[in-house]
Amino acid sequence: MSLRLPDSDAPESPDGRRHAPSAERNAESILAVLQAEAPKGRLLEIASGTGQHAARFARALPALDWQPSDLDPGNLRSIAAWRAHAAAPNLRAPIVLDAARPGWSADHRADAILIVNLLHLIPEPAATTVLAEAAAALLPCGRLFLYGPFLRDGRATSEGDAAFDASLRAQDPDVGYKDSRWVEERLAAAGLVSRWTSMPANNLMLVARRT
Ligand SMILES: C[S@@+](CC[C@H](N)C(=O)[O-])C[C@H]1O[C@@H](n2cnc3c(N)ncnc32)[C@H](O)[C@@H]1O
């Protein structure tokens, strides 16, 4: 991804762990939702980024078999370094996965799927495929956890969100915040029912399951 983001210059430890401030800030609130609602079994994390969440969440949720992944092979070094640091037996080695590639769900069935801060960074057709494939990958009692900033009724909910959305669209007119209703409709078309929870800093967490 060539977008310039607030965390683009995440500092790196000598062992290769990158430290994104946003992943540090939102970890506790995301973890609280997972602790309350994640089923046991295999969790596929899409767009793991630095790997901070994978390390922290896998340690805190030992009943989950945690599979981190990312589109960018360059991120796997940091994810693997966080994995070594966490030493959590339930945290698997990271894999490359393009979640916008049609058909990936057939090889990646999961009890839970976590996607944090991805949809606003990709074009609508790619986001449509991510949601459809995530829905298809879920096992019958599975849950999809989708966290990030969203438009609500077509509007950003704070000046900071409006500015960030505008900065993304200025870099690439095809990307930017998606509307929460648009996401819900895509998931409904894939047979999932959605519930939204307000999160700190105007973000939302969607928990979706099969109807
Ligand atoms: C803002 S980072 C979020 C990383 C992490 N989830 C977090 O919250 O710290 C966005 C991530 O999405 C990944 N990404 C972008 N397009 C993707 C795609 N089509 N499939 C999977 N990952 C993708 C990027 O490589 C990057 O690691």
Side-chain angles (χ1 to χ4, degrees):
M1 187 182 307
S2 56
L3 295 169
R4 188 88 202 134
L5 301 172
D7 285 347
S8 288
D9 295 322
E12 185 170 323
S13 298
D15 64 1
R17 283 175 297 142
R18 286 192 290 112
H19 302 259
S22 67
E24 192 57 42
R25 279 195 303 272
N26 60 27
E28 275 313 306
S29 55
I30 295 172
L31 178 57
V33 175
L34 294 175
Q35 280 172 324
E37 305 208 38
K40 292 183 178 144
R42 180 172 193 268
L43 183 142
L44 173 65
E45 183 188 12
I46 288 170
S48 297
T50 61
Q52 284 158 275
H53 284 157
R56 181 125 172 220
F57 298 165
R59 275 183 70 99
L61 298 161
L64 283 171
D65 179 13
W66 196 283
Q67 176 63 69
S69 72
D70 202 276
L71 166 70
D72 182 355
N75 284 339
L76 265 54
R77 180 169 175 264
S78 178
I79 302 170
W82 274 105
R83 176 175 179 249
H85 188 260
N90 59 323
L91 178 53
R92 294 191 173 232
I95 57 171
V96 173
L97 176 62
D98 177 1
R101 176 179 63 78
W104 64 259
S105 57
D107 299 322
H108 297 283
R109 295 275 187 256
D111 298 283
I113 295 177
L114 174 66
I115 308 175
V116 176
N117 283 335
L118 172 63
L119 286 200
H120 57 296
L121 306 178
I122 59 177
E124 259 188 32
T128 298
T129 302
V130 169
L131 295 171
E133 290 294 328
L138 279 186
L139 290 164
C141 293
R143 294 270 188 286
L144 168 65
F145 298 88
L146 179 68
Y147 171 97
F150 296 90
L151 303 177
R152 277 162 257 183
D153 298 322
R155 292 165 181 270
T157 52
S158 73
E159 282 182 19
D161 282 287
F164 183 37
D165 186 29
S167 82
L168 293 172
R169 293 178 196 273
Q171 295 180 63
D172 179 347
D174 290 334
V175 306
Y177 286 25
K178 309 298 177 284
D179 195 272
S180 60
R181 195 185 305 265
W182 181 87
V183 172
E184 204 170 315
E185 286 171 358
R186 302 279 86 63
L187 290 173
L192 299 194
V193 60
S194 301
R195 182 165 42 79
W196 294 92
T197 304
S198 294
M199 301 292 278
N202 296 312
N203 289 305
L204 291 177
M205 171 72 91
L206 172 147
V207 183
R209 61 177 170 75
R210 286 195 195 292
T211 48

